Amino acid sequence: MPMEYFEQRERALLGDRFDVLYAAPQETAERGVTVSALRSSPEQFAAKADFPLEASPFCKAAFVVHQPDDLKFRPGRHPYHHAGVFYSQEPSASSAAPLLGVQPGMRVLDMCAAPGGKSSQLAAALQGRGVLVSNEYVAARAEILKSNLERMGVSNAVVLNETPARIAEALPEFFDRVLVDAPCSGEGMFRKEPVALQQHCEALVKQCAELGAQILDCAAAALAPGGQLVYSTCTFAPEEDEGQVAAFLQRHPEFALADVLGNVDYTFGSAGEENRTGGLPLDVSKVRRIWPCQGGEGHFMARLVKAGTPRTLPPEGEYTPEEQLWLAAAAQAGKNGCRKLRSRRQQGGVFGAGIPEYGGGVNHTASLQRAAFRPRFTLVQKHGKFLLPVEGGQIFQNARRRYRHGKNCKGSTDGGQSFSSRFHRKTSEKMYFLFKGF
């Protein structure tokens, strides 16, 4: 049985600490939201939110949502979710992205980005400057990723559906920051997703460890000298966590392990475990674990720094010729919708093997999110409904009529930003619209 293998392994590693570390403070997984700085500050959001919040210990922009189950609160149905104000995710899932220390103007790669929670955090740190490349290997998940980044108001992201190896080949030493939230055995998701427990086995752990090692090697090749890489998982397996990082450092002497909390001014979780490194040297005080008893579902994080001098970031509004080509090609693909964008290698362009060829090709989230066209709509609650201001009145009236018939509501605001929401008779009468700021 999957649980038998897991418990036997963890009891052997933890001894008497097993029952303490795996004793979660609540029966079900916590709900949380991470606020996007592109839409609002955490303080503004906390003042406006109409549901109980508690500041998360894992990220300054995140909150734990406390709501009785009998009220059936669903963050994904809230107007602020549709407006891109917050991303709904388990609280500890927001911990990894801030550890990269992203600054405006950087080139950032999210190697395993779907569904987009961590990419939206990285985009918020960039503040619309620099380039965010969000990659997802599974095509269907790449579409979800693009949709979420558009909803979150990200204007400078390029969404790829590509293998890590081809990205490393096309863009060697290109990125200032790389996040690898690796596909893993998902031991931290047992309570949240029962299927993670059902499919779990020792063979899966080994398979995920091998895949994670391959992805890490590609991420190392894509990282520029002086750049930083954060590796994270949502599992407790030693082969995928401390052992993975220790083995990586053996293969890559050009990298050094840095304090994972070195880019933030707060702390959470616990240090790593000495008996999980596979016998390889590793300063486990520099990596971080989140145990169920600490309010999370189980995460591991490490920060790695590549030898060399970091590049000087360009002034605000300036892009290198290569960055301009990336953004221009991706923006054109976004305008073309689902039309294929042929590989630049086939076209003889400068990207080499860098742009994939799949259903959506490479897409730019700016197709609907150009900064000059972001409307500043405020959601006003009245009689249990969220209304648009005067300039959106006609749209609201159309939406209300469609809502009564249980139909889709599609349209665009005067600013050119599109929305598409489905309204059902059984849902509360709240109108969902995109907006910019409170």
Side-chain angles (χ1 to χ4, degrees):
M1 295 292 292
M3 198 62 187
E4 291 179 0
Y5 156 70
F6 171 78
E7 185 169 341
Q8 288 176 1
R9 186 198 73 202
E10 289 300 298
R11 286 192 179 277
L13 290 168
L14 296 173
D16 295 339
R17 295 185 299 151
F18 176 87
D19 292 323
V20 175
L21 293 177
Y22 281 101
Q26 68 284 328
E27 294 183 1
T28 59
E30 288 275 26
R31 294 171 178 166
V33 296
T34 305
V35 180
S36 170
L38 298 176
R39 299 299 203 199
S40 170
S41 70
E43 294 77 16
Q44 287 177 313
F45 174 76
K48 294 281 187 178
D50 56 354
F51 47 88
L53 296 173
E54 177 186 338
S56 169
F58 306 113
C59 172
K60 286 189 172 182
F63 295 89
V64 180
V65 178
H66 296 296
Q67 192 84 339
D69 289 338
D70 57 351
L71 295 181
K72 297 182 179 180
F73 173 71
R74 297 292 185 269
R77 295 183 182 179
H78 198 278
Y80 290 167
H81 165 84
H82 289 266
V85 178
F86 66 73
Y87 189 95
S88 178
Q89 59 186 348
E90 184 270 317
S92 59
S94 63
S95 58
L99 305 180
L100 267 176
V102 170
Q103 301 295 324
M106 286 184 170
R107 302 166 180 168
V108 182
L109 170 63
D110 189 352
M111 187 69 88
C112 312
K118 295 176 178 63
S119 273
S120 67
Q121 290 178 268
L122 299 174
L126 285 172
Q127 299 177 22
R129 295 164 53 189
V131 178
L132 171 64
V133 175
S134 297
N135 178 65
E136 172 54 44
Y137 178 72
V138 180
R141 285 170 57 83
E143 290 296 328
I144 296 172
L145 168 64
K146 183 169 76 73
S147 176
N148 277 327
L149 291 181
E150 287 179 347
R151 177 178 60 83
M152 300 298 290
V154 180
S155 62
N156 60 326
V158 177
V159 177
L160 294 183
N161 169 229
E162 192 48 274
T163 64
R166 286 189 58 181
I167 294 176
E169 177 189 353
L171 298 168
E173 298 190 335
F174 181 79
F175 295 98
D176 305 301
R177 297 287 190 271
V178 177
L179 175 63
V180 177
D181 185 40
C184 66
S185 53
E187 294 174 354
M189 297 293 107
F190 284 173
R191 291 197 309 160
K192 182 180 177 182
E193 299 178 11
V195 68
L197 177 59
Q198 295 171 8
Q199 68 182 13
H200 188 268
C201 62
E202 187 175 4
L204 176 64
V205 171
K206 293 181 178 179
Q207 180 183 2
C208 290
E210 293 175 359
L211 176 60
Q214 296 171 9
I215 295 174
L216 267 176
D217 289 342
C218 295
L223 187 64
Q228 299 182 29
L229 185 160
V230 165
Y231 171 77
S232 67
T233 71
C234 58
T235 192
F236 304 103
E239 301 94 324
E240 300 177 71
D241 294 346
E242 289 94 339
Q244 182 79 276
V245 174
F248 173 85
L249 291 171
Q250 294 294 307
R251 298 193 305 272
H252 295 274
E254 74 276 18
F255 276 82
L257 181 67
D259 181 2
V260 73
L261 299 175
N263 287 324
V264 296
D265 58 359
Y266 54 91
T267 186
F268 57 82
S270 303
E273 303 273 309
E274 290 278 2
N275 60 351
R276 294 174 183 260
T277 67
L280 297 174
L282 184 73
D283 185 352
V284 294
S285 68
K286 294 183 176 181
V287 302
R288 216 69 184 164
R289 281 185 169 273
I290 299 175
W291 299 97
C293 68
Q294 295 163 335
E297 292 304 298
H299 283 82
F300 172 85
M301 288 146 284
R303 185 167 65 97
L304 301 152
V305 179
K306 194 172 188 178
T309 303
R311 74 181 181 102
T312 301
L313 297 181
E316 182 175 357
E318 290 189 12
Y319 290 90
T320 66
E322 192 169 12
E323 291 170 345
Q324 291 175 358
L325 283 173
W326 263 100
L327 294 173
Q332 185 59 46
K335 293 177 182 178
N336 293 341
C338 294
R339 289 169 54 187
K340 288 186 177 181
L341 181 66
R342 291 177 56 81
S343 167
R344 285 283 171 171
R345 178 161 56 182
Q346 297 173 357
Q347 297 179 7
V350 299
F351 289 121
I355 294 185
E357 184 177 11
Y358 85 107
V362 54
N363 280 283
H364 195 320
T365 56
S367 58
L368 295 176
Q369 299 286 352
R370 289 296 185 188
F373 299 106
R374 291 181 190 161
R376 287 190 172 273
F377 285 162
T378 301
L379 294 171
V380 181
Q381 189 172 13
K382 184 177 181 181
H383 304 303
K385 301 178 182 179
F386 282 85
L387 312 181
L388 284 175
V390 176
E391 61 265 33
Q394 186 59 46
I395 295 177
F396 170 74
Q397 294 296 331
N398 293 339
R400 184 169 59 182
R401 283 195 294 270
R402 288 177 176 269
Y403 166 80
R404 289 172 177 170
H405 294 88
K407 297 180 179 179
N408 281 337
C409 171
K410 295 184 178 181
S412 62
T413 67
D414 296 336
Q417 192 174 26
S418 72
F419 62 84
S420 175
S421 300
R422 180 177 292 274
F423 302 94
H424 301 280
R425 298 185 186 92
K426 295 181 180 180
T427 62
S428 61
E429 292 192 7
K430 292 182 178 180
M431 301 292 99
Y432 300 149
F433 297 95
L434 301 182
F435 80 115
K436 166 68 174 171
F438 283 106

